[in-house]
Amino acid sequence: MTTIFSGVKPTGHLTLGNYLGAVRRWAEEDQHRADALFCVVDLHALTMQHDPARVRRLSRQAATLLLAAGLDPEQCTVFVQSHVDEHARLSYLLECTATDGEMRRMIQYKEKSAQAKEAGDSVRLSLLTYPALMAADILAYGTDEVPVGEDQTQHVELARDLAVRFNQRYGHTFVVPKATAPTVAARVMDLQDPTSKMGKSHAEGAGIIYLLDEPDAVRKKVMRAVTDSGRDVVYDRAASPGVANLLEVLGSCTGQPPGKLAEGYDSYGALKKDTAEAVVELLHPLQERHAALVADPGYLTTVLRGGAARAREMARPTVDAAYRAIGLLEP
Ligand code: TYM
């Protein structure tokens, strides 16, 4: 059976980008067709300046939203990364497999470290080594497929390279995984700056739709989205990034190709109105389920405990095998 692993980092409130790029597919397709694990990757939330209480709060919120989005603990394994020691255990071996040059080439490291330096801050070493931990998340489970948005494909490529290298050096240990991105909305852009990704860790902005935004907040954000100076509704990411982004969001919500949708509009206003309503409609059931789950916090705790126990059981043999293969003595 195919094994699927993916995760979400509790560094902010989950956004429409997270949902359309990743989480919706996990719920609608992946959990039904594979042995699937979905993880709140809390260790990854420590790579930048963080507030411990906020990470704890966001970790529970992210897990609640995964269930609200439709992940069913009977169908898949939902858990928190730090509850399963195997991730950190394997990460070290992968740091011993990767080179520092490889890590420094990662786009997210380059961007975030440049921003930090500009602000006069130093960066944590873990920001550099983060992709080794992400590779460990994936490789520990013998993962075949990693459903992610476009921004994560470079990290998954690195996980592939490390798996191949480790296997060549020490004998076959890891399955070589591949990233799968959605055809539409693989990179949802910020509504106020359609040349940059809609990201949950950005400062609270008018261009980010959060999954728990009230309908009126969603409408306001979409109606104020930056469009382009032209007037024609065309699907052209390079020439009209703002309009293309709205068409992708609408296309993803309604299951229609963005290029085809463009033909049906002759004004930006009508496109925005339909996009806003489609997003409101898409989020409504998720928000209702979220409210019900929040009312029963014990349920989430039980789900996460069960998920961690199952994940531990799955990861342990592979991580133990990697420890033996690399030359560490059996205890
Ligand atoms: P994170 O938490 O930034 O994002 C979670 C998932 O949402 C996708 N995503 C988007 N997709 C489309 N448009 C956007 N604007 C957008 N923003 C986010 C991401 O691609 C991702 O699939 N490093 C990862 C978490 C991680 C992980 C893993 C993922 C850690 N270990 C192992 C897969 C497998 C991250 O920061 O995702």
Side-chain angles (χ1 to χ4, degrees):
M1 195 179 196
T2 304
T3 301
I4 289 182
F5 180 97
S6 203
V8 59
K9 196 170 58 179
T11 47
H13 301 287
L14 263 60
T15 72
L16 186 66
N18 297 128
Y19 188 62
L20 298 182
V23 178
R24 183 164 67 151
R25 268 186 307 151
W26 305 349
E28 289 179 359
E29 299 165 29
D30 297 332
Q31 67 172 342
H32 302 296
R33 68 181 178 87
D35 200 354
L37 299 107
F38 301 107
C39 185
V40 176
V41 287
D42 54 349
L43 296 173
H44 288 286
L46 312 183
T47 57
M48 305 279 283
Q49 233 181 42
H50 76 285
D51 166 12
R54 184 165 187 264
V55 170
R56 268 192 293 272
R57 210 170 46 244
L58 289 174
S59 295
R60 274 191 76 88
Q61 192 197 64
T64 309
L65 281 168
L66 293 186
L67 299 183
L71 292 188
D72 174 358
E74 302 286 320
Q75 298 283 336
C76 65
T77 304
V78 182
F79 70 107
V80 174
Q81 182 190 33
S82 65
H83 295 174
V84 180
D85 293 343
E86 270 55 39
H87 295 245
R89 274 182 79 212
L90 181 56
S91 180
Y92 180 69
L93 299 200
L94 297 175
E95 283 180 25
C96 298
T97 309
T99 65
D100 82 314
E102 260 168 342
M103 297 287 168
R104 287 182 203 285
R105 278 198 293 279
M106 294 293 115
I107 294 163
Q108 296 206 352
Y109 172 73
K110 286 207 259 188
E111 284 177 0
K112 287 185 179 165
S113 61
Q115 279 164 11
K117 277 177 195 148
E118 222 166 82
D121 294 332
S122 54
V123 296
R124 296 181 180 179
L125 179 59
S126 54
L127 184 68
L128 179 64
T129 57
Y130 168 114
L133 178 59
M134 177 159 162
D137 301 337
I138 296 166
L139 301 184
Y141 296 94
T143 302
D144 301 287
E145 292 179 25
V146 189
V148 284
E150 198 180 271
D151 62 312
Q152 294 299 323
T153 52
Q154 192 190 27
H155 290 154
V156 181
E157 283 296 314
L158 179 69
R160 275 178 78 85
D161 292 347
L162 297 182
V164 169
R165 191 175 310 154
F166 191 103
N167 288 347
Q168 276 169 352
R169 279 188 194 156
Y170 311 113
H172 185 79
T173 310
F174 297 124
V175 173
V176 180
K178 69 165 195 289
T180 57
T183 41
V184 177
R187 190 175 181 82
V188 178
M189 307 308 266
D190 189 292
L191 298 175
Q192 287 299 312
D193 174 10
T195 57
S196 73
K197 186 189 77 170
M198 184 185 283
K200 64 173 133 49
S201 330
H202 298 173
E204 188 111 352
I208 305 169
I209 295 178
Y210 297 99
L211 297 185
L212 294 178
D213 275 349
E214 299 279 341
D216 278 345
V218 172
R219 289 189 185 102
K220 211 178 268 173
K221 288 176 182 178
V222 176
M223 294 313 287
R224 289 185 185 160
V226 168
T227 38
D228 314 294
S229 49
R231 296 204 40 190
D232 295 339
V233 177
V234 286
Y235 179 55
D236 182 338
R237 267 190 170 257
S240 295
V243 170
N245 191 38
L246 292 173
L247 286 165
E248 289 223 6
V249 169
L250 180 60
S252 178
C253 291
T254 60
Q256 295 179 62
K260 184 106 190 72
L261 281 172
E263 293 167 13
Y265 289 96
D266 53 16
S267 83
Y268 293 165
L271 171 63
K272 285 179 172 176
K273 201 153 173 292
D274 285 358
T275 305
E277 290 316 313
V279 174
V280 167
E281 209 169 293
L282 185 76
L283 296 185
H284 179 70
L286 182 151
Q287 295 182 347
E288 269 194 350
R289 283 196 295 266
H290 178 266
L293 286 160
V294 166
D296 181 6
Y299 174 69
L300 179 69
T301 306
T302 308
V303 166
L304 295 179
R305 282 208 188 117
R310 170 129 208 288
R312 229 175 271 130
E313 219 171 84
M314 286 179 72
R316 186 101 208 201
T318 303
V319 178
D320 281 350
Y323 266 63
R324 302 292 84 77
I326 207 169
L328 299 170
L329 268 185
E330 200 151 347

